[in-house]
Amino acid sequence: MALLEEPIKGIKEVKNYINGEWVDSKGKIVDVVNPATGKVMGKCPISTKAEINAAVEAAKEAFPDWRRTTPLARSRTLFRMKNLLEENFEELSRIQTMEHGKTIDESRGETRRGIENVEVSCGIPTLMQGYYSEDVASGIDEWVIPTPMGVFGIIGPFNFPFMIPLWSAPYAVATGNCIVIKPSSEVPFSQMRLAELAEEAGFPPGVWNVVNGGRTVVDGMLEHKDIVGITFVGSTPIGKDVIYKRCGETGKRVIAQCGAKNFMVIMPDCNVKATVPALMTSFFGNAGQRCLAGANLLIVGEDDKFYNSFMEEVTNMSSRIKMGYGLDESIQMGPVRDKEKRDNIMGYIEIGIKEGARLRLDGRKPKVEGGCPDTCFVGPTIFENVTSDMRIGSEEIFGPVMGVFRAKTLDEAVQICNASPFGNGHAIFTQNGRSARDFQYNVTSGNVGINIGIVAPVALFPFSGMKDSFFGILHTQGQEAVRFFTESKVVIQRWF
Ligand code: NAD
C-alpha cells in the first residue's frame, strides 16, 4: 500500500480565527480522530458564547469599511484567494481525506467544486449590478441597488468540510458582507486552512472569521441581534426545527439545506454498461455520506429477466469495491466519519433484516486493506424487496446502503419518489427522451438527474432542494446566493 504523504503531522490544535488573529478557545477541547487510521490527529475547541460574540463584534466593526471597498477590489481579493487555493489544491484535498475519510479522488473533486464557487464570485462587479428605469412616471426615474446587509453566519455539516461553506462564503464577502463560519467540530481542519488562505489573500481583519464548536456557537448566532442571516447545511431535524424556526422568530433570513433519501430510477431501456458504474459512485462514493447520494434504487418494469441481470451486475460491481485509507490512490471507498455513524448504519442494517427486506450484499464485515482498523468501515450493502413503509426505505441512513424497490410503470415510480418526505436529488436512467421529460416534469425534487447519479449543481446554478430537504426560498451558489446576501434598495427620484 503506497500512501500519499499526510499534510497534518502529529496532533494539530485547532484555533479560532477572529478579527484577523488566531486565538485559543476557552471552551472544552475534543479529539478529532482520523477515521481510517483510528489515530487522534487533532484537538478541536467547542467554543463559548463569549467567543462567538467576539467574532460577530469583529465582523460588525469590519463591515462599514468592507462595504465601502469597491466590488472590483473585493473581487481582486477573491482572485488572489482562487490562485492560493489552486496552489494548495493537493494539500487541501489530503486534509479532507484525513479528517473525513473520503478517498483522495473524492476530496480532489470536492476541492474543485469549492474553488468553482470562488471563481464565480470573482464576477461580483457585474453579478451584483442593479437595474434602472427612466420615466416610470413623467420625469421620475427608479432604480434598485443590491446592498450588503452586515454579518452572516455560515454553519457547515461534516460530510463536505471544505466545499460546503464555500457555497456561501465567497458570495457573502464578495457582496460586501462579513462572515462567521462554524465548521462541524468533527472536521475542523479544512476551514482552518481555508481561513489561513483567506488571510493570505488579504481579507481585512474581521471580514472572514471562523469559530469552532457545536450547539453553543449555533445558539449564539441565532440569538445575536447583529447576525442578519444564516446559511445552514445539515440534517433535517436541526435545519427545520432549530435553524429555520429560530431564524423566523428572530427575523433573520435563512437558507437551510437539509437531509435526503434519493431515488435512482432505472428504466429497462437504460444503457446498462454506463449506468451501473454511475450507480457505484452515487450509492457508495463518499461511503454514502452525501446528501445527493443514491439511497434507493427503483427498477421499473415487470421483466424479471432484466431485473435479475441488472441486479447481478450491480451486486458484482458493489462487492468488488476496494476499501481502505483514502490516501492510497487505489482505494475506492473510505470509512464513514466515526464509530457512532458506523453503529447507526449497522443499526439500520439490523432494522432492514427485521423489516423483512432481503439482504443481498452484507457490508457488516468489510474487508479493509492496508491494516486499517475496521472501527469506522461499513462495506457496500444491498437490500432487495424494499418498500416505502419500511424504515430503511424511507429514513436517511447516510451510509453505503442501497434499498432496491420495484415499480410496474414510470408513473408508479414517480409516485413512489414523491411519497418520500424528502426531495433533494432524484434521478432517472433511460435512453428515452419522453420518459426523461415525464420524470423531470412530475418528480418533486430540487435537483433532478437524467443519466446523472450525483445531481450536484455546478457553482453557476443554485443548489436546490424541496420538501424536507430544504427550508427557505433563495439557495446557495451563483446568482441566488448573490441575491440572498444582498437587500434590494429601491430609489425613486424626481428633480423639481
Ligand atoms: P447535523 O445537522 O448533525 O449538523 C450540522 C451542523 O449543525 C453542524 O455544524 C453541527 O455542529 C450543528 N448542530 C448539530 N446539532 C445541533 C443542535 N442541536 N443545535 C444547533 N446546532 C447543531 O448534520 P451532519 O451530520 O453534520 O451532516 C449530515 C446531514 O447534512 C445529512 O442529513 C445530509 O443529508 C445533510 N446535508 C445536506 C446537504 C444539502 O445540500 N441538502 C448537503 C450536505 C449534507
Side-chain angles (χ1 to χ4, degrees), residues 273-301:
K273 221 168 146 219
T275 299
V276 175
L279 295 177
M280 293 302 107
T281 40
S282 174
F283 282 85
F284 305 128
N286 226 26
Q289 301 167 114
R290 277 195 187 111
C291 68
L292 291 172
N296 289 330
L297 184 71
L298 205 171
I299 301 182
V300 179

Side-chain angles (χ1 to χ4, degrees), residues 479-490:
Q479 304 256 12
E480 289 207 17
V482 174
R483 286 189 60 205
F484 178 78
F485 290 114
T486 53
E487 202 145 45
S488 296
K489 182 183 279 182
V490 179

Side-chain angles (χ1 to χ4, degrees), residues 163-332:
M163 173 185 74
I164 286 185
L166 286 173
W167 288 349
S168 300
Y171 305 98
V173 294
T175 46
N177 300 285
C178 299
I179 54 170
V180 183
I181 297 176
K182 190 210 83 69
S184 165
S185 55
E186 298 166 21
V187 288
F189 295 104
S190 293
Q191 288 307 310
M192 190 172 169
R193 188 71 189 110
L194 185 65
E196 286 170 0
L197 297 175
E199 182 176 33
E200 210 178 319
F203 285 102
V207 172
W208 190 295
N209 305 276
V210 180
V211 178
N212 292 281
R215 193 175 169 168
T216 306
V217 176
V218 173
D219 283 342
M221 284 183 174
L222 289 164
E223 285 160 16
H224 208 296
K225 66 176 179 22
D226 292 324
I227 293 228
V228 294
I230 286 186
T231 66
F232 166 90
V233 181
S235 61
T236 296
I238 308 296
K240 182 181 179 188
D241 300 331
V242 179
I243 308 293
Y244 190 63
K245 188 168 162 214
R246 289 181 58 198
C247 282
E249 285 166 2
T250 53
K252 303 185 194 310
R253 48 176 71 182
V254 61
I255 289 176
Q257 294 178 211
C258 299
K261 187 82 176 176
N262 304 309
F263 281 88
M264 299 291 122
V265 174
I266 307 298
M267 299 302 286
D269 62 13
C270 75
N271 177 332
V272 174
K273 221 168 146 219
T275 299
V276 175
L279 295 177
M280 293 302 107
T281 40
S282 174
F283 282 85
F284 305 128
N286 226 26
Q289 301 167 114
R290 277 195 187 111
C291 68
L292 291 172
N296 289 330
L297 184 71
L298 205 171
I299 301 182
V300 179
E302 294 180 86
D303 180 354
D304 288 340
K305 207 166 144 228
F306 172 77
Y307 176 89
N308 290 334
S309 73
F310 191 82
M311 281 311 301
E312 191 69 26
E313 296 241 5
V314 167
T315 311
N316 283 344
M317 205 173 261
S318 308
S319 61
R320 288 200 302 266
I321 289 176
K322 194 173 155 191
M323 302 185 69
Y325 189 6
L327 285 183
D328 170 348
E329 289 189 285
S330 72
I331 290 300
Q332 295 166 301

Side-chain angles (χ1 to χ4, degrees), residues 227-450:
I227 293 228
V228 294
I230 286 186
T231 66
F232 166 90
V233 181
S235 61
T236 296
I238 308 296
K240 182 181 179 188
D241 300 331
V242 179
I243 308 293
Y244 190 63
K245 188 168 162 214
R246 289 181 58 198
C247 282
E249 285 166 2
T250 53
K252 303 185 194 310
R253 48 176 71 182
V254 61
I255 289 176
Q257 294 178 211
C258 299
K261 187 82 176 176
N262 304 309
F263 281 88
M264 299 291 122
V265 174
I266 307 298
M267 299 302 286
D269 62 13
C270 75
N271 177 332
V272 174
K273 221 168 146 219
T275 299
V276 175
L279 295 177
M280 293 302 107
T281 40
S282 174
F283 282 85
F284 305 128
N286 226 26
Q289 301 167 114
R290 277 195 187 111
C291 68
L292 291 172
N296 289 330
L297 184 71
L298 205 171
I299 301 182
V300 179
E302 294 180 86
D303 180 354
D304 288 340
K305 207 166 144 228
F306 172 77
Y307 176 89
N308 290 334
S309 73
F310 191 82
M311 281 311 301
E312 191 69 26
E313 296 241 5
V314 167
T315 311
N316 283 344
M317 205 173 261
S318 308
S319 61
R320 288 200 302 266
I321 289 176
K322 194 173 155 191
M323 302 185 69
Y325 189 6
L327 285 183
D328 170 348
E329 289 189 285
S330 72
I331 290 300
Q332 295 166 301
M333 184 168 137
V336 295
R337 205 348 274 165
D338 50 49
K339 187 173 177 310
E340 290 71 44
K341 291 182 179 42
R342 173 187 175 270
D343 292 348
N344 185 48
I345 298 162
M346 293 293 190
Y348 269 108
I349 298 176
E350 297 297 332
I351 290 168
I353 294 167
K354 285 202 191 97
E355 286 179 319
R358 176 182 172 229
L359 186 56
R360 170 121 186 204
L361 183 67
D362 186 353
R364 285 177 294 178
K365 291 202 173 75
K367 178 171 178 280
V368 182
E369 308 280 331
C372 294
D374 67 359
T375 336
C376 301
F377 285 89
V378 186
T381 298
I382 301 176
F383 277 108
E384 290 180 294
N385 303 339
V386 178
T387 53
S388 296
D389 53 9
M390 292 180 181
R391 287 184 60 194
I392 56 157
S394 57
E395 296 177 10
E396 184 176 42
I397 300 176
F398 222 54
V401 181
M402 174 191 286
V404 186
F405 286 57
R406 291 189 75 172
K408 290 192 179 67
T409 60
L410 178 56
D411 280 351
E412 188 191 338
V414 170
Q415 277 172 28
I416 292 173
C417 295
N418 289 351
S420 166
F422 299 105
N424 214 38
H426 300 320
I428 188 168
F429 289 81
T430 181
Q431 298 192 78
N432 180 310
R434 176 63 199 260
S435 301
R437 207 261 174 191
D438 283 352
F439 181 77
Q440 70 95 43
Y441 190 86
N442 291 316
V443 78
T444 314
S445 178
N447 309 290
V448 178
I450 298 171

